[in-house]
Amino acid sequence: MYNITFQQLETFFAVAERLNISETANAMYISQSALSKTIHRLEEGLGLKLFIRSNRGLMLTKEGEYLYSELYAPYNTMCKNIVNAKNMLETKILRIGYPSTYDSSEDYDKLKQLISNFAAQHPDIELVEVLYDFLQLKKVLIYGDVDIAFSHNFIPLDSPQFSRKNVCRSRMCLAMSADHPLAAYDSIDEFDITELSKEYFYTISFDDEVNAKGNALERLSMFGIKPKDIRFTANFQSLMRALRQGKGMSLCGYFSKTPDHEAIKFIVLPTFPDYPFLTAAWRTNDVSKQLQEFIDMFPDDPEEMTVFKH
């Protein structure tokens, strides 16, 4: 183990940001000699030189640059988690992560009502609710930024470290610009499906793009759709923008509440047994009493929480 402290890391980050001993000492309300000694002890503990002096002033070494870039975010996360843990001693806090689509779809209306009822029945529990991009949800759950996260079951989360429970089903739609000729139809059965072979289909990549493309093509094939090609966007907002601009189509949820939803036509696809679920996911060995009460409120049968007829 390395003989280093949080104070040494905090000092390292402060010097690395300013690259000036005098300015850093003033900002931290300590003497320059005390600051220099702290950095020296950190370097000794790590067995690395972190800073060098040159004619241009103080500079990070290659090793210093690497540690700054790699340690800064997890250090802040650890500090934040310690503060959260202290707060939990005074207040019962339940941190919930939702997908960025949460407020864009009526498919979650029953879930929202259930959570609202839970909050009313447990006024002693403070619910801290945050929206995240799909890819962020897994990370915030792993790093402990949330106690429970809602994500779709097609997002990989296969590990004994996590537990999952199906909450409700989500609709699948063929989405396109409202100006597209096929937007005149209300059902996929009303037009020649082979027309879709001329279209690019947009999706969000949840893992490497090779696997993501294969999974997207497999989902499309369930409806007999063979697209021209698959294209990727970074997040939900970018996906909706691409559709509004008429760049292509998407196989996605029913986002009737998304901003400028009038510019997008959602054709609800026929239901089938493998329709995706919105799931609740949590760290298996990190379940507080309030989290267990929250988990227990969900019905065992997700059809009870599903808004549409399946």
Side-chain angles (χ1 to χ4, degrees):
M1 295 292 291
Y2 295 102
N3 185 22
I4 61 177
T5 66
F6 268 57
Q7 181 188 22
Q8 291 169 354
L9 288 175
E10 181 184 8
T11 304
F12 165 61
F13 295 136
V15 176
E17 288 172 358
R18 296 173 177 83
L19 293 177
N20 186 294
I21 294 293
S22 175
E23 288 183 10
T24 306
N26 289 336
M28 299 185 71
Y29 300 101
I30 60 175
S31 68
Q32 294 184 35
S33 61
L35 187 149
S36 297
K37 287 179 181 178
T38 301
I39 292 297
H40 180 66
R41 292 191 185 110
L42 175 61
E43 291 177 327
E44 283 187 334
L46 293 173
L48 292 171
K49 189 73 173 174
L50 301 176
F51 296 97
I52 55 175
R53 292 186 179 275
S54 70
N55 294 332
R56 291 178 292 177
L58 200 63
M59 295 177 59
L60 280 164
T61 63
K62 180 177 65 176
E63 295 80 8
E65 288 181 354
Y66 175 78
L67 288 180
Y68 178 78
S69 64
E70 293 296 322
L71 294 182
Y72 187 75
Y75 170 81
N76 280 337
T77 298
M78 285 191 293
C79 291
K80 182 170 60 177
N81 288 341
I82 291 171
V83 172
N84 289 339
K86 288 182 176 180
N87 290 337
M88 288 177 185
L89 294 174
E90 304 172 1
T91 307
K92 294 180 181 178
I93 297 175
L94 189 60
R95 299 164 301 161
I96 309 171
Y98 300 109
S100 56
T101 58
Y102 188 66
D103 290 325
S104 299
S105 176
E106 62 188 37
D107 288 355
Y108 310 137
D109 284 356
K110 286 187 177 181
L111 170 61
K112 292 177 181 178
Q113 185 59 55
L114 194 68
I115 294 175
S116 177
N117 293 342
F118 177 87
Q121 294 167 11
H122 298 82
D124 58 323
I125 300 177
E126 179 185 351
L127 300 186
V128 179
E129 302 170 279
V130 183
L131 300 180
Y132 295 97
D133 285 341
F134 290 106
L135 294 177
Q136 288 180 301
L137 277 171
K138 183 176 180 179
K139 292 180 180 179
V140 296
L141 189 61
I142 291 173
Y143 295 140
D145 291 337
V146 297
D147 301 303
I148 188 168
F150 292 93
S151 65
H152 292 86
N153 61 338
F154 51 74
I155 298 177
L157 198 62
D158 300 323
S159 169
Q161 180 184 358
F162 305 110
S163 296
R164 263 184 161 177
K165 184 174 184 178
N166 291 335
V167 176
C168 62
R169 292 188 186 270
S170 298
R171 270 175 280 201
M172 293 298 292
C173 296
L174 178 64
M176 68 195 78
S177 165
D179 295 327
H180 194 287
L182 295 181
Y185 300 99
D186 293 319
S187 170
I188 195 172
D189 297 326
E190 297 177 17
F191 58 81
D192 185 356
I193 201 170
T194 61
E195 289 290 314
L196 302 183
S197 63
K198 305 173 185 177
E199 302 288 343
Y200 289 105
F201 271 72
Y202 282 78
T203 187
I204 302 169
S205 177
F206 302 111
D207 44 27
D208 68 271
E209 291 194 359
V210 174
N211 286 335
K213 183 173 183 177
N215 291 334
L217 290 172
E218 183 178 350
R219 287 195 297 271
L220 288 166
S221 68
M222 294 179 183
F223 302 100
I225 300 173
K226 297 181 180 180
K228 183 176 182 179
D229 199 3
I230 301 294
R231 290 182 172 177
F232 298 100
T233 62
N235 49 43
F236 169 70
Q237 290 79 7
S238 299
L239 175 64
M240 293 295 102
R241 181 175 177 81
L243 295 180
R244 288 195 298 269
Q245 292 178 336
K247 293 182 177 180
M249 297 185 173
S250 180
L251 186 67
C252 63
Y254 183 56
F255 303 125
S256 57
K257 298 181 180 180
T258 189
D260 298 326
H261 63 87
E262 301 88 352
I264 300 175
K265 176 63 177 281
F266 294 94
I267 299 177
V268 179
L269 296 171
T271 61
F272 64 97
D274 291 331
Y275 248 45
F277 284 102
L278 184 72
T279 68
W282 60 92
R283 294 181 300 283
T284 305
N285 297 321
D286 188 15
V287 181
S288 64
K289 181 180 178 182
Q290 56 261 31
L291 175 57
Q292 189 61 59
E293 291 177 349
F294 187 76
I295 295 168
D296 290 343
M297 77 173 177
F298 298 113
D300 290 331
D301 184 2
E303 304 302 343
E304 294 183 32
M305 295 292 295
T306 300
V307 171
F308 60 96
K309 184 177 180 181
H310 179 69

